[in-house]
């Protein structure tokens, strides 16, 4: 069987990354799905997820304010307003943190895939150089 460099190159042109685990579960690894994309687009994909992570961090600051609302006054209506507002803000804060964890895990997986691509390309190049030298 002859070595087909085109087949090897086509195989390496695509990258598949598993979706991170659902932050509501304790299992590790992929979340049952994933994405396949061209390897030359991985930097752009990492940037989009990093931008999303930055947005989530900004939202977290807002969520923190919502979760710690203080009653504007000492009367009955203000106290009720605070009791109703804080649980909603805390739920938003918790959900934001779970999403941040999900995004961080996915960025880690994308970065690992990028490093694997670089390693595979270096090994393939070394192998080709070795065969050319023979």
């Amino acid at each position: 069987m002859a070595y087909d460099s085109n087949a090897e190159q086509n195989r390496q042109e695509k990258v598949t990354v598993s979706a991170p685990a659902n932050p509501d579960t304790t299992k590790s690894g992929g979340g049952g799905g994933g994405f396949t994309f061209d390897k030359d687009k991985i930097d752009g994909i990492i940037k989009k997820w990093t931008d999303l992570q930055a947005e989530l961090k900004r939202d977290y600051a807002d969520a923190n304010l919502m979760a710690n609302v203080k009653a504007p006054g000492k009367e009955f209506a203000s106290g009720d307003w605070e009791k109703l507002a804080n649980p909603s803000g805390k739920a938003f804060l918790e959900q934001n943190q779970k999403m941040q964890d999900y995004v961080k895990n996915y960025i880690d997986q994308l970065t690992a895939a990028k490093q694997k691509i670089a390693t595979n390309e270096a090994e393939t190049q070394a192998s080709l150089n070795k065969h050319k030298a023979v």
Side-chain angles (χ1 to χ4, degrees):
M1 177 185 217
Y3 176 74
D4 183 355
S5 63
N6 287 335
E8 178 67 16
Q9 182 178 359
N10 288 338
R11 183 182 67 77
Q12 291 182 2
E13 293 294 320
K14 298 284 183 188
V15 177
T16 301
V17 179
S18 297
N22 181 337
D24 287 331
T25 65
T26 57
K27 69 178 184 173
S28 61
F35 303 93
T36 300
F37 45 86
D38 295 331
K39 72 175 185 175
D40 61 340
K41 296 184 178 174
I42 196 164
D43 287 328
I45 293 167
I46 291 171
K47 180 174 180 345
K48 286 182 182 181
W49 282 88
T50 303
D51 290 348
L52 175 59
Q53 185 179 40
E55 288 178 34
L56 288 167
K57 286 180 180 182
R58 285 190 298 271
D59 289 347
Y60 188 84
D62 292 339
N64 208 8
L65 293 172
M66 291 171 27
N68 294 296
V69 167
K70 300 294 180 215
K74 299 278 185 192
E75 77 281 353
F76 175 74
S78 291
D80 281 351
W81 184 80
E82 179 181 350
K83 288 176 189 174
L84 294 172
N86 285 344
S88 177
K90 287 179 180 168
F92 180 67
L93 190 67
E94 182 180 314
Q95 189 58 38
N96 177 281
Q97 185 60 58
K98 288 178 183 180
M99 188 63 185
Q100 283 190 59
D101 293 344
Y102 180 88
V103 169
K104 182 193 176 307
N105 288 338
Y106 199 61
I107 291 170
D108 291 347
Q109 288 180 335
L110 288 167
T111 302
K114 180 180 176 179
Q115 291 171 343
K116 185 176 179 181
I117 290 167
T119 300
N120 287 345
E121 287 178 348
E123 289 173 356
T124 300
Q125 187 61 46
S127 178
L128 289 172
N129 291 341
K130 181 180 174 183
H131 288 307
K132 286 179 184 179
V134 175

